[in-house]
Amino acid sequence: MIVMETIEQLKKIELENSTPDDVRKILYESPLPAIKSVITKGTYIIRARKGDGYTKRSQMTYCPVEFCKSLQRATLNGQTMFYGVISDDQSHLENARALSCAECSKLTRAGLESIGREKFTLSYWEVVKPISVVSFITDSTFPKVQNNKLLSDLRNTFNNMSLTSQEKNLIRFISDEFSKIVTDNREYLITATISSDIINKTKTDGIIFPSVQLGGQGGLNIALSPNAVNSKLRFIRTLGQTLYKNKDKSLIRIEKYTEKNSKTHIKYQFSNQILLDELNIKDVNELPLIE
């Protein structure tokens, strides 16, 4: 089967009635080229969880398998993965904090006109052993985004790979699947199958892909196997922050942090007055709390 036929068959899959094996039958008759990378020791990964008051490693790591009942972008039903964010600038992790919240924010998904405030707990993790990852980022992956170094480097890597035009088109198709906005989790079938098989059947620790919610900005999402998390990441601390959104105006404010010894410190990143002025409101309570 030639590559173009593979792409056409994947496009015709009926997601409502198809299984991972249906994807495998189509996809793995052709070679599946991917871009291999290494996340180096000392890199920080940030993971977000919706809600407030989480302080322990056990509360911020990968989801227990028994709760994994739906497809995710890089996970099949009944499997678990650690989802986090790598900033495009390790010296300025605010990009990763914003990206992490956007990925699980109801306000962000609701669009420009949404109003409210949401609380998030972020966990900081340090890479203590090199992590092997793959990606399917190509020259067509958010091509207008030029201020994300990680994304730009992977696009350049793709351009320099010795691949046939058909192989490049296959990677572009998979890239589009990782980058598309979905309204139904069943639309994750192709990317979830590819990611789970790569991680579970090879020595690869994880997969990286751009943020759909932020349009490729800020850094990259990373999905890691539980084994990689347990052996190659060190839990550092948690950070409590709130997203305040008044339609097209929004701010994310750090409000507390908890050290590894579970001692919590209240520390506002900036004052309430700055918050009110920037969002053009008179009282924070004008923004309803979104659970």
Side-chain angles (χ1 to χ4, degrees), residues 258-269:
T258 303
E259 299 171 354
K260 196 173 181 179
N261 61 9
S262 295
K263 185 176 182 179
T264 299
H265 304 268
I266 305 298
K267 185 177 181 181
Y268 291 103
Q269 186 178 6

Side-chain angles (χ1 to χ4, degrees), residues 148-217:
N148 183 342
K149 185 177 185 302
L150 296 176
L151 188 62
S152 295
D153 287 348
L154 287 169
R155 285 192 301 234
N156 290 335
T157 299
F158 169 79
N159 287 330
N160 292 325
M161 292 175 70
S162 297
L163 299 171
T164 66
S165 60
Q166 289 194 359
E167 287 173 332
K168 287 189 174 183
N169 284 335
L170 178 58
I171 303 181
R172 290 187 184 108
F173 171 80
I174 297 172
S175 173
D176 290 344
E177 288 292 304
F178 272 102
S179 302
K180 72 181 182 183
I181 296 174
V182 306
T183 56
D184 184 330
N185 279 26
R186 285 175 291 191
E187 296 179 64
Y188 291 137
L189 179 63
I190 294 174
T191 58
T193 301
I194 291 171
S195 301
S196 295
D197 285 0
I198 287 175
I199 293 172
N200 293 329
K201 297 180 180 180
T202 72
K203 294 182 179 180
T204 303
D205 294 315
I207 191 160
I208 50 179
F209 50 95
S211 167
V212 175
Q213 298 305 318
L214 287 188
Q217 303 279 350

